[in-house]
Amino acid sequence: MIILVHGYQGCRYDMRVMQNFLGKILPQSVSYASRANEDMDDKTIQEMGKDLAEEIKQLTKIHVNYEKISFVGHSLGGIIIREALTHLKSLRQHFFSYVSLSVPHLGCRKNKSMLVSLGMKYLKRFKKDVVISQLQLDDEKDFKDTFLFRLASRDWLHWFKNILLVSSPQDSYV
């Protein structure tokens, strides 16, 4: 079973090319594009992780013949997956691969693009977007209390047999 998780303000259709590709190269697997956080306005990453975990638990009840569970996360989706692991400890013996595609594991505090920086400031200030504050490590006064810092201290990625982190120096967001 392969779970695909979209990025910030995305939807399951953002992952359809990847889902189709996986269906061709791994026809024996079931790939599922997550729907849990398509309407993620006003949610924290913690809440989105919990919603994803609930969706995965339901999938494991429907698809009972799985041996391995792999995750592919794009951008914010990779962080949501890492948070969902908090609620999926009972399934860890099935975890196989974690694929991270341009995921801001260290946040996105500084950005080379002035346009992107202005957009993030707008979302944080006027729309009160909590996720942007979390990604910019501004959700707490003390850096060590920020969500991403605490998430980084969790040692759950070792539950996976394979970990692949993919990024690009041309990525102007992450």
Side-chain angles (χ1 to χ4, degrees), residues 85-100:
L85 297 176
T86 305
H87 309 284
L88 296 172
K89 293 176 186 174
S90 63
L91 296 173
R92 72 181 186 188
Q93 72 274 10
H94 298 285
F95 291 168
F96 186 67
S97 296
Y98 172 82
V99 179
S100 164

Side-chain angles (χ1 to χ4, degrees), residues 11 42 65-66 80 108 118-119 146 163 174:
C11 70
D42 300 331
N65 294 330
Y66 66 93
I80 294 170
C108 47
L118 287 172
T146 62
I163 298 173
V174 179

Side-chain angles (χ1 to χ4, degrees), residues 110-120 170-173:
K110 296 184 179 186
N111 199 295
K112 293 178 184 175
S113 168
M114 188 165 52
L115 185 61
V116 172
S117 293
L118 287 172
M120 291 180 90
Q170 289 87 15
D171 186 338
S172 63
Y173 298 98

Side-chain angles (χ1 to χ4, degrees), residues 30-54:
V30 173
S31 61
Y32 180 81
S34 173
R35 299 174 181 192
N37 293 301
E38 289 182 329
D39 299 318
M40 61 184 182
D41 293 345
D42 300 331
K43 286 187 181 180
T44 64
I45 297 172
Q46 295 93 317
E47 293 167 325
M48 290 186 272
K50 188 174 183 179
D51 291 346
L52 175 62
E54 290 303 316

Side-chain angles (χ1 to χ4, degrees), residues 118-130:
L118 287 172
M120 291 180 90
K121 281 183 183 179
Y122 168 80
L123 288 170
K124 193 167 68 173
R125 183 172 291 152
F126 298 109
K127 295 197 93 180
K128 306 291 186 208
D129 195 317
V130 179

